[in-house]
Amino acid sequence: MPAGPSSGDAPFARVLDAARTGAGWACTRLWNDHAGAVAAFARARGSREPDDLTSEVFLAVFDRLAEFRGDERAFRSFVFSIAYRRLVDELRKRERRGEPEEWTPESAPRRASSAEDEAGARLGDAAALALLDELSSDQRDVMVLRVVADLTIEQVAEVFGKRVGAVKALQRRALQALRKKCCRPPYPSGPLER
């Protein structure tokens, strides 16, 4: 009898085989195991509709399950390769067409925000995204895939179609740039610090 929804501890190969046959529990398991990270990656990289993009990614993943070969780590790379390509498509489309912005009172340039709004805008996700936005696009993509998607250097290299050494160099330069931005001393360096 095939495993059902309670088979959360089923080995990956069994889940993959069941998903290939269209078993709902197996497709749900693949979705639950990876969709959150895909949506977080899409959100961090500027997708306007990260949930829609995640759905598109998994439609493509499920369509291409028959051609996938590999273990769970390879599957994660497979999923993020598709996610990366879909995100690039969305960003290119948006760049070509531009996006009209709907007017809201909150976005009016003459509106003065409260101190609470200002403080909230400077904390948390917005601050992290602002730091990432200061990196080159390749460095930003590497950092998001490494941290948010939890991919290895080798998996990131596979997603980008680059050499492992090139990905390591991008990551090193990104970390150096982030360190410079985050770890500035609160006062100018002087002769006493030498």
Side-chain angles (χ1 to χ4, degrees):
M1 175 176 238
S6 64
S7 62
D9 57 350
F12 176 76
R14 194 164 123 220
V15 172
L16 184 62
D17 288 341
R20 284 179 174 145
T21 65
W25 70 268
C27 293
T28 300
R29 167 100 180 267
L30 293 175
W31 169 271
N32 288 338
D33 288 351
H34 302 285
V38 169
F41 167 70
R43 192 171 294 110
R45 288 297 293 118
S47 174
R48 294 278 192 247
E49 299 292 335
D51 295 333
D52 290 349
L53 188 129
T54 301
S55 295
E56 290 177 25
V57 167
F58 276 89
L59 287 173
V61 165
F62 294 139
D63 281 347
R64 296 177 53 194
L65 274 181
E67 66 190 60
F68 171 75
R69 300 288 177 261
D71 61 5
E72 194 164 4
R73 282 181 52 150
F75 184 75
R76 193 167 180 84
S77 294
F78 172 70
V79 169
F80 277 94
S81 293
I82 294 171
Y84 177 74
R85 287 178 184 92
R86 293 292 166 120
L87 180 65
V88 168
D89 290 345
E90 176 188 328
L91 296 175
R92 283 183 183 149
K93 201 178 297 181
R94 202 165 62 212
E95 188 177 293
R96 275 193 312 266
R97 294 182 187 164
E99 282 193 65
E101 288 190 34
E102 185 176 319
W103 184 88
T104 62
E106 293 81 25
S107 67
R110 294 183 187 161
R111 178 183 175 267
S113 60
S114 68
E116 182 181 33
D117 290 343
E118 291 291 323
R122 294 182 184 174
L123 298 174
D125 292 345
L129 290 174
L131 281 172
L132 288 173
D133 283 342
E134 293 180 21
L135 299 173
S136 74
S137 64
D138 282 348
Q139 290 173 351
R140 184 175 49 242
D141 289 340
V142 166
M143 293 306 296
V144 171
L145 286 172
R146 291 282 289 138
V147 175
V148 176
D150 196 27
L151 296 182
T152 65
I153 293 282
E154 293 78 13
Q155 290 171 314
V156 173
E158 187 179 323
V159 168
F160 289 145
K162 293 182 184 268
R163 294 185 335 268
V164 170
V167 172
K168 285 182 181 179
L170 285 167
Q171 178 178 297
R172 184 178 57 253
R173 287 192 297 270
L175 289 171
Q176 287 170 343
L178 290 172
R179 227 177 262 119
K180 285 179 185 175
K181 302 235 183 276
C182 294
C183 303
R184 290 185 184 134
Y187 48 85
S189 60
L192 296 176
E193 293 184 356
R194 293 184 192 165

